[in-house]
Amino acid sequence: SKRSRKCSLREKLIRHSNSFKTNKWQREQGEVNLEVEMSMPSSSKPQMNEATLAITGMTCTSCSQTITSALESHDAVGSCKINLLGEKAHVLYDPEKLDTGELVDIVEDVGFGADVITVSEPPKPSTEKRSVMAKFSLEGLTCSSCVNTVHEAVATIPGVESNTVKVTLLPEAQLVVSYDVNILSDEDIIESIEAVGFEAALLSKEEVDDDRRDPADSTRTMYITLECNIEKAKHILSDVDGVIQVDVIEDKIKKSIIKTQDQVQAQSTLNLVSADEEAPDVSSVTPGGTLKVVFQQRRIGIRTIVNDLKGGKCGNNISVVDAESYQNSHEAAEKRRKKEIKKWRNAFLFAALFSFPVAMIHMGFKHIKDSFLHNFVFWNIKWEELLAWILATPVQFISGARFYRDAYYSIRTRHLGMGFLIAMGTSAAYFYSVFVVLYNASEDLEDRMAVAFETSALLITFVILGKYLEAKAKARTSRAISNLAELAPEDATVIGIIKDGVEKAIPEERIPLTLLQLGDILLVRPGEKIPCDCTVISGSSSVDESMLTGESVPAQKYEGDKVIGGTINVDGSLRVHVTALGQDTTLAQIIRLIETAQSSKAPVQEFADWISARFVPVVFWISVVTYIIWAALLNSSALDHVKDTWPYKEDGLNDWTLPLLFSISVLVIACPCAMGLATPTAIMVGTGVGAKYGILIKGGEALEKANNISAVVFDKTGTLTMGKPIVESIHLLSDRPANFFPSETSVEKKRIQKQAVESILFAAACAEYGSEHPLAKGIMAKASEYGIGEGLERPLQPVEDFTSESGKGVQCVLNGHKIHLGNRRSLLSNEITVTPGTFDAMENLEKLGQTAIAVSIDGRSEAVMGLIDKAKDEAALTVNVLEHALSVKVYMLTGDNFRTAGVVAQEIGIDSSKVIADVMPEGKVQCIKRLQEEGECVAMIGDGVNDSPALAQADVGIAIGAGTDVAIETAGVVLVNSDLKDVIVSIDLARTIYSRIKLNFLWALGYNSLAIPIAAGILYPVFEKALPPFMAAVAMVFSSVSVILSSLLLNRYKPPEFERQYGRSLRQGRLGLEGVEVKSTRMLRQSSIKVPINCRQILGTGECNCEPESCECEGCGSCSKLVRRNSLSSNYYPGCQKQWGGKCTCPPGKCRCTGAC
């Protein structure tokens, strides 16, 4: 609600500098000497007490002013507020200089009676900083100048963390700020905002944990309304394990909760509840009320809390509102937006009711001969002048009051905005018209001067109409969040609960989402929405996730799979276990991420802010100069030869009023709002469009940098490749492994090769058991094919002394044998004896695109395993579209060796010069830095986990395949799906949004650059027509609305479409991608892209340049093709170098390879 405040900004600065919080009355009135206070060291500032006095003898405001003056004239009195009706005085005074008896004497000395009622001391300042993050709704903001005014007012308050202040204009005006509750309160912040001319209301407030709370103990905040025994309920919950805060909130807030189910905030502090508080006497029923309850949801659920209250005889009619529910937050935001639209609509209707008749009088009836409007009413004043004056006055001072108010505060804060221009322009027209009426009446002129009441009235009316249309258009920009917030259902079917690991069935019941708690077991039938994030316990079904991921094909879900709240169960029944609620759900995180992105500023916005800060003063002086120049020209002899041909005198204007018309038009045609809306509206709509396709852009800075991307660096494993390596080959270096871990006591000679392979797989599987590394999973999968693994024919055995070297390998002890798995670096660093042929075998596998791992036993290499990680189907498409359609350089970064990486790069079309291989995890950051030093704007594409440092170092970090983990901090762009084509879409979308921002800026600047000279009359000598001020207002309105409509056109964005062309001519008969046809609405104009061929002979430009062993080019006759053999089932004797293209090492005439040689 609106409150009038009389304190000055000086008093606020003094009050905020105190280390304690004063009561509300201390902030409403009083004068304190600024110079004395500010010069006093903080340690020596007086600690003020509050005294409440009962006053007798007061009869009017003059009496209260007398007492106030008497008390405040004393140096020891800080402030005084008189309650005339309550006959009380609230005095803030220094107890070291003045006591209450002296206060009474001062009052009695001026003829009134006084008695001391209460005296309160200030709370002792806390030495521990306690920060809270608060969100406020704002009213009255119209442009970036308003945003800057509020930001500056809040950021300069002592106790506010200035770097956390964030003021947004769209989708609705809000303030988010963090501050120390030991220094100031939310009322202080609200008051400071109101002091600069805007209104504010607290939406939510939560304490910043600062690592004092276990992250696993996530909390929920609920408002519980009881019909009776509110104090008993508070005591009951104070003793409940898991409840960390209980507050009784005020009745007015209770009404707000019941009425709007909005996020509200208790007025009490955030102290934890004391369990030692004694229970009140509740032998009889006491009044009910509303409790704010904060609890740790992993320790206790909301239904348990409600049952405790019912068991404590606190009434059965208990209602619960989730204070953190994004559905409630969205609902409240929608109501605020509708309220704003309704407010502007009603204001327009009121103004139009008076202004349109004024326009009809001056533009229509005025030209009708013998109309009564031409008759005189009294004192030489005509009916047309009098009626116009009467009708224009309510518009000027009732409808236009908001502009006068904005102008007053903008002058006060030195941030001139649109309200100043409108107030100046309309005031000039209105008061000029009043002057003309009186002048015409006093002079009794035959050619009466024309009034301009229609100018001021229509100007205000059209500006208000513009605000109405702008509010409706702004509401449409937040449609993306609205659609997401509406995804979650209102209730869920509970059929059981898991507690302490034990599943317990309960009668099936349909309950609201608010009453769900962790551990609940839900039944989701076909066609129903998943209520929240869950894990499937039983059943299988396909789930439509298109509304979150943009993927049109439903995803199959089986036991153990995760399902996301808000998605739709298509065809099967699922029993699911609740794993996340409220703000912890994926949907809530996506909404929060989009809100953060939409409220962030792009760097280009700083340019708009710079212009906006200077725009209004410049326009004001342009209008003044316009008047001076035209008045000087018309009243001199310079235009005597042409001005007599101009028709302005026929319209009732003269040499002084025509310049005034031009000056007013300049004031009202200028539009600072258009520039302020150019960036935020485009970001709002664009990020919403991205979310629809599973692309989450985290803010304006990431968006602007994504537009400038010149180089993209892909992590290989799991990004360009499937991330699921499989064991393709095992080259045995000797027959010794057959004797280390034999599965049979005696092995025939012909089965030695199979026994050796099984022993190598057994040793490797035991060493890698439990690892989450992709290569380890590939080894475990291959071992299981041989019956090796937990629950199989040959169970794994525990290992000892396990160690892991990042980027190199692992080692352990198995049955007394020292096992080592690693790459070349690991072999050398661990002083492994290298069996002859080891490196040749590794090189052979690497040329085939396999990752080579040496398996060593007891310090000697015994085998080389080759794992292949196939490239994703869309990898070649993505790489070639980025290179040839978007003109972005594509690099591949991997810890693999260059040969293996080169094969993958050749397969998908990355030039070998852009392959960065043999990079340790910590070296990825240096690679990104090197590219940045070369002048590239780098985007790093990774999974957001192992690549976090590189994602953070890159100009734009793009985390792909985030799934439910959408809150990856180091990524500027999060791709929910694992589809590489989304990288193309994200860059294309960023460029589209940024182009729209530039178009909006071009329109806003171009409009003002053209409109202001036209309004100033630069074309008047040519066309002999002046732009009426009310038409200038229409043009100004159109400019703002057109910028919003321009941004809304981003909703028509469609991702590029790709038509693949497959063939077998480039890959030795194997089917593969050979061409791509790209179709796009804007950035990617329709084009055809051919996947490049690296072989020079095929291209006809020279001899084949492929590696002989890896050349797969059909028709390339110069390459000696390597015959691919599966070494897992070959007949080569262990150690025979024929396995990797060498010579047979068997003794002459005694070959043991059973004819393979």
Side-chain angles (χ1 to χ4, degrees):
S1 63
K2 193 178 294 184
R3 290 162 294 175
S4 62
R5 305 196 186 266
K6 299 180 181 179
C7 58
S8 65
L9 286 174
R10 294 195 306 161
E11 296 165 42
K12 288 184 175 56
L13 291 174
I14 296 170
R15 181 173 59 258
H16 292 315
S17 66
N18 291 334
S19 60
F20 63 91
K21 292 181 285 183
T22 61
N23 291 327
K24 179 180 176 181
W25 65 267
Q26 294 170 324
R27 298 191 294 267
E28 291 188 342
Q29 192 168 346
E31 278 300 324
V32 180
N33 188 303
L34 178 64
E35 289 75 16
V36 174
E37 188 75 20
M38 296 302 289
S39 64
M40 189 179 299
S42 58
S43 60
S44 62
K45 288 184 179 179
Q47 297 295 303
M48 298 288 193
N49 282 3
E50 173 194 350
T52 303
L53 308 179
I55 308 295
T56 58
M58 293 190 299
T59 59
C60 61
T61 55
S62 177
C63 301
S64 63
Q65 290 173 359
T66 300
I67 297 173
T68 300
S69 299
L71 288 170
E72 291 186 347
S73 63
H74 200 289
D75 293 340
V77 175
S79 64
C80 172
K81 180 188 174 184
I82 302 296
N83 185 341
L84 182 60
L85 297 178
E87 296 185 331
K88 292 180 181 178
H90 301 280
V91 186
L92 183 66
Y93 68 100
D94 183 358
E96 295 183 0
K97 298 181 180 180
L98 196 68
D99 59 29
T100 54
E102 291 173 298
L103 291 175
V104 171
D105 291 340
I106 293 173
V107 176
E108 291 178 346
D109 287 343
V110 292
F112 301 93
D115 290 305
V116 178
I117 301 176
T118 59
V119 176
S120 61
E121 296 181 357
K124 294 181 179 180
S126 172
T127 57
E128 181 183 3
K129 179 180 178 181
R130 294 178 60 234
S131 296
V132 296
M133 183 69 72
K135 182 187 290 185
F136 300 84
S137 65
L138 304 174
E139 287 189 29
L141 277 69
T142 58
C143 61
S144 58
S145 177
C146 304
V147 171
N148 294 334
T149 299
V150 175
H151 186 282
E152 183 178 315
V154 175
T156 53
I157 302 174
V160 166
E161 298 174 17
S162 58
N163 60 323
T164 67
V165 179
K166 185 178 292 185
V167 183
T168 60
L169 187 61
L170 294 170
E172 57 178 330
Q174 285 188 348
L175 163 69
V176 178
V177 60
S178 179
Y179 58 91
D180 188 349
V181 294
N182 291 322
I183 298 178
L184 73 159
S185 67
D186 48 88
E187 281 291 320
D188 294 317
I189 295 176
I190 290 174
E191 186 178 330
S192 296
I193 295 171
E194 291 179 346
V196 294
F198 303 98
E199 295 180 25
L202 183 66
L203 291 178
S204 64
K205 183 169 67 178
E206 61 181 9
E207 189 166 7
V208 180
D209 290 331
D210 294 331
D211 299 328
R212 287 176 290 181
R213 188 178 298 162
D214 188 346
D217 291 334
S218 59
T219 63
R220 293 186 75 187
T221 302
M222 294 287 187
Y223 289 99
I224 303 176
T225 302
L226 308 169
E227 59 183 356
C228 63
N229 295 344
I230 187 70
E231 291 298 331
K232 181 178 181 180
K234 178 179 179 181
H235 179 78
I236 291 173
L237 296 183
S238 299
D239 294 331
V240 174
D241 183 38
V243 175
I244 61 174
Q245 178 186 341
V246 182
D247 290 309
V248 179
I249 68 174
E250 297 179 2
D251 288 340
K252 61 180 181 181
I253 302 179
K254 169 185 166 185
K255 292 177 182 177
S256 175
I257 296 170
I258 296 173
K259 184 177 180 180
T260 66
Q261 293 200 349
D262 190 10
Q263 291 177 310
V264 294
Q265 179 65 42
Q267 297 300 311
S268 54
T269 61
L270 296 174
N271 292 329
L272 298 181
V273 176
S274 174
D276 299 328
E277 183 181 348
E278 294 184 3
D281 182 11
V282 289
S283 56
S284 60
V285 176
T286 59
T290 299
L291 292 174
K292 174 192 173 186
V293 182
V294 181
F295 59 94
Q296 295 171 327
Q297 58 178 347
R298 295 193 180 277
R299 299 174 65 184
I300 190 170
I302 183 60
R303 294 202 306 278
T304 305
I305 291 175
V306 172
N307 290 334
D308 287 345
L309 294 176
K310 288 182 178 180
K313 298 180 180 180
C314 296
N316 293 320
N317 187 15
I318 300 176
S319 64
V320 179
V321 175
D322 187 350
E324 299 172 348
S325 167
Y326 54 84
Q327 292 99 331
N328 288 346
S329 177
H330 156 72
E331 204 173 296
E334 281 293 310
K335 288 181 179 179
R336 287 193 294 270
R337 282 192 283 267
K338 290 179 180 178
K339 180 182 177 182
E340 182 184 12
I341 293 172
K342 184 178 180 180
K343 179 188 72 174
W344 286 114
R345 184 199 66 189
N346 293 342
F348 167 70
L349 293 176
F350 176 83
L353 182 65
F354 293 96
S355 61
F356 288 166
V358 176
M360 293 175 65
I361 290 172
H362 282 272
M363 300 177 187
F365 298 145
K366 178 180 179 180
H367 302 289
I368 299 176
K369 293 182 178 181
D370 301 328
S371 171
F372 79 96
L373 294 174
H374 302 309
N375 299 332
F376 291 97
V377 185
F378 60 86
W379 195 42
N380 202 28
I381 297 177
K382 290 185 177 182
W383 274 108
E384 59 181 315
E385 296 171 339
L386 180 63
L387 289 177
W389 188 357
I390 293 173
L391 291 171
T393 299
V395 179
Q396 185 69 32
F397 297 107
I398 297 178
S399 298
R402 68 189 73 240
F403 302 116
Y404 281 113
R405 178 176 174 272
D406 292 346
Y408 166 73
Y409 283 108
S410 66
I411 294 172
R412 206 176 145 184
T413 58
R414 298 183 181 179
H415 287 90
L416 301 182
M418 189 193 71
F420 173 79
L421 296 178
I422 300 302
M424 290 294 295
T426 57
S427 297
Y430 178 84
F431 290 111
Y432 159 75
S433 299
V434 172
F435 166 77
V436 167
V437 171
L438 300 177
Y439 181 79
N440 287 342
S442 62
E443 295 295 329
D444 193 18
L445 301 173
E446 182 178 349
D447 293 330
R448 300 171 70 89
M449 295 175 62
V451 296
F453 285 117
E454 83 284 357
T455 296
S456 64
L458 288 176
L459 200 156
I460 290 174
T461 302
F462 284 126
V463 171
I464 292 176
L465 173 62
K467 291 299 176 185
Y468 168 63
L469 297 176
E470 193 176 305
K472 291 193 69 173
K474 285 179 182 177
R476 292 177 57 193
T477 62
S478 59
R479 185 174 297 172
I481 293 182
S482 300
N483 293 339
L484 287 173
E486 293 169 357
L487 289 179
E490 295 181 355
D491 46 31
T493 303
V494 180
I495 59 174
I497 188 170
I498 297 178
K499 193 170 184 179
D500 298 328
V502 179
E503 181 178 332
K504 178 183 178 182
I506 60 175
E508 182 176 321
E509 183 181 4
R510 197 80 179 168
I511 64 172
L513 248 60
T514 304
L515 296 180
L516 286 180
Q517 53 191 42
L518 296 179
D520 281 344
I521 299 175
L522 310 179
L523 176 63
V524 185
R525 296 183 172 90
E528 293 183 346
K529 290 183 177 180
I530 309 291
C532 55
D533 288 5
C534 304
T535 300
V536 178
I537 296 177
S538 63
S540 63
S541 179
S542 55
V543 177
D544 182 5
E545 299 178 342
S546 60
M547 62 289 297
L548 292 178
T549 65
E551 180 59 52
S552 58
V553 180
Q556 292 295 320
K557 300 294 180 180
Y558 302 97
E559 182 178 338
D561 289 342
K562 294 181 179 180
V563 288
I564 304 173
T567 56
I568 301 174
N569 181 26
V570 178
D571 51 20
S573 293
L574 295 174
R575 290 176 70 248
V576 296
H577 168 227
V578 176
T579 57
L581 291 168
Q583 294 297 307
D584 297 332
T585 62
T586 300
L587 183 57
Q589 291 179 36
I590 291 176
I591 291 175
R592 190 161 57 246
L593 191 150
I594 296 174
E595 288 177 336
T596 302
Q598 293 180 344
S599 64
S600 66
K601 278 189 177 183
V604 70
Q605 182 65 26
E606 296 177 3
F607 172 67
D609 292 342
W610 184 87
I611 293 179
S612 296
R614 294 156 178 79
F615 183 83
V616 174
V618 169
V619 169
F620 173 75
W621 286 111
I622 289 176
S623 71
V624 172
V625 171
T626 297
Y627 182 84
I628 293 172
I629 292 175
W630 272 107
L633 290 173
L634 291 174
N635 288 279
S636 68
S637 59
L639 298 178
D640 285 346
H641 61 291
V642 293
K643 73 176 185 179
D644 291 336
T645 64
W646 292 346
Y648 65 92
K649 292 184 179 180
E650 298 174 7
D651 298 328
L653 300 172
N654 58 34
D655 294 343
W656 297 103
T657 56
L658 180 62
L660 179 63
L661 181 71
F662 291 140
S663 181
I664 293 173
S665 295
V666 169
L667 285 175
V668 299
I669 203 169
C671 185
C673 295
M675 286 181 291
L677 294 172
T679 300
T681 54
I683 290 177
M684 273 201 62
V685 179
T687 52
V689 170
K692 184 170 66 174
Y693 294 108
I695 298 168
L696 306 178
I697 303 173
K698 286 193 174 182
E701 185 176 358
L703 176 68
E704 186 166 338
K705 288 183 177 179
N707 170 71
N708 299 321
I709 289 174
S710 61
V712 169
V713 179
F714 283 97
D715 178 59
K716 179 180 79 72
T717 304
T719 304
L720 289 173
T721 62
M722 301 294 291
K724 298 178 180 179
I726 58 174
V727 177
E728 183 82 0
S729 305
I730 297 180
H731 291 335
L732 298 171
L733 302 174
S734 73
D735 58 3
R736 290 186 297 272
N739 301 316
F740 284 123
F741 309 103
S743 58
E744 302 175 15
T745 54
S746 63
V747 184
E748 297 181 8
K749 179 179 178 181
K750 62 181 181 180
R751 298 196 60 188
I752 287 180
Q753 195 267 352
K754 180 177 182 294
Q755 178 66 59
V757 168
E758 290 180 355
S759 294
I760 291 296
L761 286 173
F762 177 77
C766 290
E768 296 284 9
Y769 179 67
S771 173
E772 292 296 321
H773 195 281
L775 295 179
K777 291 182 178 180
I779 292 172
M780 297 299 297
K782 179 56 68 174
S784 66
E785 295 178 11
Y786 282 75
I788 301 170
E790 292 301 315
L792 301 178
E793 299 174 7
R794 189 176 184 184
L796 301 177
Q797 296 181 9
V799 298
E800 301 173 346
D801 300 332
F802 177 87
T803 58
S804 174
E805 296 178 277
S806 179
K808 293 182 179 180
V810 299
Q811 57 184 346
C812 62
V813 175
L814 174 66
N815 289 345
H817 297 286
K818 188 174 182 179
I819 310 298
H820 178 273
L821 282 74
N823 53 23
R824 282 184 177 81
R825 290 190 297 265
S826 184
L827 288 175
L828 299 175
S829 63
N830 287 278
E831 299 181 353
I832 302 293
T833 300
V834 179
T835 301
T838 299
F839 291 143
D840 292 337
M842 297 180 78
E843 183 176 338
N844 170 263
L845 294 176
E846 290 165 355
K847 288 180 178 179
L848 295 175
Q850 300 177 25
T851 299
I853 298 178
V855 181
S856 305
I857 302 175
D858 292 336
R860 184 185 182 92
S861 59
E862 300 291 354
V864 177
M865 303 177 69
L867 291 92
I868 188 167
D869 189 9
K870 295 182 179 180
K872 292 181 178 178
D873 292 339
E874 65 271 18
L877 182 152
T878 301
V879 167
N880 283 276
V881 171
L882 287 172
E883 284 267 13
H884 303 291
L886 291 175
S887 301
V888 174
K889 300 174 185 176
V890 179
Y891 294 83
M892 184 171 73
L893 188 63
T894 179
D896 235 333
N897 64 86
F898 184 80
R899 294 186 186 87
T900 302
V903 173
V904 176
Q906 180 180 352
E907 178 78 11
I908 61 180
I910 297 178
D911 190 272
S912 59
S913 63
K914 296 176 183 176
V915 176
I916 307 172
D918 285 313
V919 180
M920 300 290 285
E922 58 272 16
K924 292 183 179 181
V925 173
Q926 298 302 321
C927 295
I928 300 295
K929 286 183 178 179
R930 188 165 66 248
L931 288 174
Q932 290 172 328
E933 290 170 356
E934 294 173 0
E936 304 287 357
C937 182
V938 182
M940 173 68 193
I941 320 291
D943 58 13
V945 181
N946 298 325
D947 308 305
S948 291
L951 289 173
Q953 175 61 40
D955 296 285
V956 182
I958 301 179
I960 188 169
T964 58
D965 186 18
V966 299
I968 299 174
E969 294 182 1
T970 54
V973 178
V974 176
L975 308 180
V976 178
N977 299 309
S978 296
D979 192 344
L980 277 174
K981 296 191 299 296
D982 284 349
V983 175
I984 301 172
V985 178
S986 63
I987 296 176
D988 183 50
L989 178 61
R991 292 183 176 182
T992 303
I993 296 171
Y994 199 75
S995 294
R996 183 63 56 173
I997 291 174
K998 290 191 290 186
L999 179 63
N1000 289 348
F1001 268 129
L1002 181 63
W1003 164 250
L1005 290 172
Y1007 161 80
N1008 284 291
S1009 300
L1010 292 175
I1012 291 176
I1014 292 173
I1018 194 172
L1019 299 179
Y1020 186 80
V1022 179
F1023 297 102
E1024 297 183 355
K1025 290 287 185 181
L1027 181 68
F1030 71 88
M1031 289 304 298
V1034 172
M1036 184 268 290
V1037 167
F1038 173 72
S1039 69
S1040 292
V1041 175
S1042 63
V1043 166
I1044 299 177
L1045 294 177
S1046 171
S1047 296
L1048 286 172
L1049 289 176
L1050 286 170
N1051 283 315
R1052 301 175 60 186
Y1053 172 83
K1054 298 295 181 184
E1057 297 178 357
F1058 310 100
E1059 187 174 321
R1060 301 172 176 84
Q1061 300 167 3
Y1062 291 93
R1064 299 179 183 273
S1065 61
L1066 303 183
R1067 293 174 176 79
Q1068 198 177 355
R1070 289 191 297 112
L1071 185 67
L1073 183 71
E1074 296 187 352
V1076 182
E1077 187 173 322
V1078 185
K1079 298 178 181 178
S1080 178
T1081 57
R1082 198 195 62 83
M1083 289 300 296
L1084 299 173
R1085 289 176 290 275
Q1086 184 169 342
S1087 58
S1088 180
I1089 301 169
K1090 189 91 170 184
V1091 175
I1093 308 171
N1094 289 331
C1095 181
R1096 294 197 195 104
Q1097 181 171 344
I1098 293 294
L1099 294 174
T1101 58
E1103 295 183 358
C1104 177
N1105 59 307
C1106 302
E1107 292 285 349
E1109 293 87 350
S1110 61
C1111 179
E1112 296 179 345
C1113 307
E1114 183 179 351
C1116 178
S1118 63
C1119 298
S1120 57
K1121 306 278 191 306
L1122 175 70
V1123 179
R1124 292 172 176 258
R1125 298 184 178 91
N1126 188 342
S1127 62
L1128 289 171
S1129 58
S1130 69
N1131 291 321
Y1132 292 106
Y1133 191 80
C1136 180
Q1137 296 191 16
K1138 274 276 189 174
Q1139 297 174 86
W1140 51 85
K1143 295 181 179 180
C1144 180
T1145 54
C1146 298
K1150 298 181 180 180
C1151 182
R1152 295 170 293 180
C1153 297
T1154 62
C1157 295

